[in-house]
Amino acid sequence: MADEEEIILSELDDEELVLQMHDDLYDGLKEEIEEGVRILLDRGWAPYDVLTKALVAGMTIVGADFRDGILFVPEVLLAANAMKAGMAILKPLLAETGAPKVGKMVIGTVKGDIHDIGKNLVGMMMEGAGFEVVDIGINNPVENYIAALEREEADILGMSALLTTTMPYMKVVIDTMKEKGMRDDYIVLVGGAPLNEEFGKAIGADAYCRDAAVAVQTAKDFISRKHNKLAAG
Ligand code: B1M
């Protein structure tokens, strides 16, 4: 039957392939996603375009149907695994630019929150822009952030939260840094789908970053301001 015919990804044009990848991500088809990523790269696509147009856009569709009760946790987990498999292929391409190291960032998802795709993406893009990144993973209590900042002698703290119930924990981390007299030693950047600029300001972060590209640009801006300040003595 026609609708049971196997789709040969390499025979699709770019636009059809990207749409098919959205479907495959939705269906959690890891191998198909890996193949699609490789095909787009072979066709000369920039890794960042593959990431945003094929993977992140696909995950947005998954997110909408998750919200609307059409998809459930097991299916979304499969989609997340497929997305991660695609990201793993892109990671070295995004991360190895040979750029000189410009600063060090500790990044982690806050306590109670296990979403890590956005955080991983930010880490990858930061590495690609020449930052050293120490990823402390998910579900981090304040102690983990403080210990990592001190141990790593980082310049930047990055925090991620995807739930409205976990985002207030970012303030706990920043308040604890203030209590310990260490807040001003670090650039604090926050991000995650439910946050906004106002929230970032209200909790005392230096900046809210809408996406990974904004995180990179914001980090660069703050680091160069820090260097200028030091140079001015
Ligand atoms: Co969850 N989940 N989830 N989930 N999940 C959301 C966040 C949700 C919006 C879905 C929905 O209802 N539409 C909803 C939250 C609602 C709310 O709080 N108001 C939700 C829920 C409710 C839940 C559970 C409670 C479901 C349940 O169990 N009933 C549960 C909670 C678990 C927990 O954390 N304790 C849960 C579980 C899961 C899975 C495990 C199934 C899976 C996570 C797998 C994983 O991460 N390994 C999952 C997923 C995949 C999602 C959605 C569908 C996709 C998230 C994602 O990866 N997006 C999500 C829907 C959505 O966000 N619209 C949803 C792609 C990623 C590239 O984007 O993470 O936004 P994002 O990151 C962006 C920016 O936000 C920014 O840059 C990134 C790249 O551009 N950014 C930063 C992120 N972090 C940053 C840090 C920075 C800077 C920028 O630091 C400097």
Side-chain angles (χ1 to χ4, degrees), residues 56 59-60 62-68 72-74 76-77 79-81 83-84 87 105 107-108 112-122 156-166 170 189-194 207-213 215:
V56 175
M59 192 49 104
T60 306
V62 171
D65 279 4
F66 190 22
R67 178 196 58 217
D68 297 341
F72 296 95
V73 169
V76 177
L77 259 180
N81 282 343
M83 167 120 184
K84 284 186 175 183
M87 282 165 64
M105 175 189 236
I107 189 166
D113 200 321
I114 61 167
H115 295 86
D116 67 353
I117 295 177
K119 163 187 71 61
N120 296 351
L121 227 155
V122 172
I156 305 172
L157 168 62
M159 285 189 280
S160 182
L162 265 288
L163 300 172
T164 44
T165 49
T166 57
M170 292 176 164
L189 305 181
V190 295
Y208 154 72
C209 307
R210 190 182 63 242
D211 59 29

Side-chain angles (χ1 to χ4, degrees), residues 43-195:
R43 290 185 188 171
W45 276 50
Y48 184 68
D49 285 342
V50 180
L51 184 68
T52 50
K53 293 181 184 158
L55 301 184
V56 175
M59 192 49 104
T60 306
I61 302 169
V62 171
D65 279 4
F66 190 22
R67 178 196 58 217
D68 297 341
I70 298 165
L71 287 180
F72 296 95
V73 169
E75 289 117 331
V76 177
L77 259 180
L78 283 178
N81 282 343
M83 167 120 184
K84 284 186 175 183
M87 282 165 64
I89 298 171
L90 297 172
K91 183 173 178 177
L93 305 172
L94 288 165
E96 282 167 20
T97 58
K101 292 285 169 251
V102 286
K104 194 170 190 180
M105 175 189 236
V106 163
I107 189 166
T109 304
V110 296
K111 188 175 166 186
D113 200 321
I114 61 167
H115 295 86
D116 67 353
I117 295 177
K119 163 187 71 61
N120 296 351
L121 227 155
V122 172
M124 276 162 54
M125 298 275 297
M126 291 288 291
E127 279 180 5
F131 286 86
E132 201 176 327
V133 175
V134 179
D135 186 339
I136 58 170
I138 54 175
N139 193 19
N140 281 290
V142 56
E143 297 77 19
N144 289 10
Y145 287 108
I146 305 282
L149 285 174
E150 289 177 337
R151 180 182 69 238
E152 303 293 343
E153 298 181 1
D155 307 290
I156 305 172
L157 168 62
M159 285 189 280
S160 182
L162 265 288
L163 300 172
T164 44
T165 49
T166 57
M167 59 191 237
Y169 195 77
M170 292 176 164
K171 185 168 184 311
V172 173
V173 177
I174 295 175
D175 286 349
T176 307
M177 290 170 77
K178 285 183 187 158
E179 278 162 27
K180 291 183 175 293
M182 58 190 282
R183 167 65 187 88
D184 294 339
D185 299 339
Y186 303 95
I187 298 157
V188 179
L189 305 181
V190 295
L195 278 65

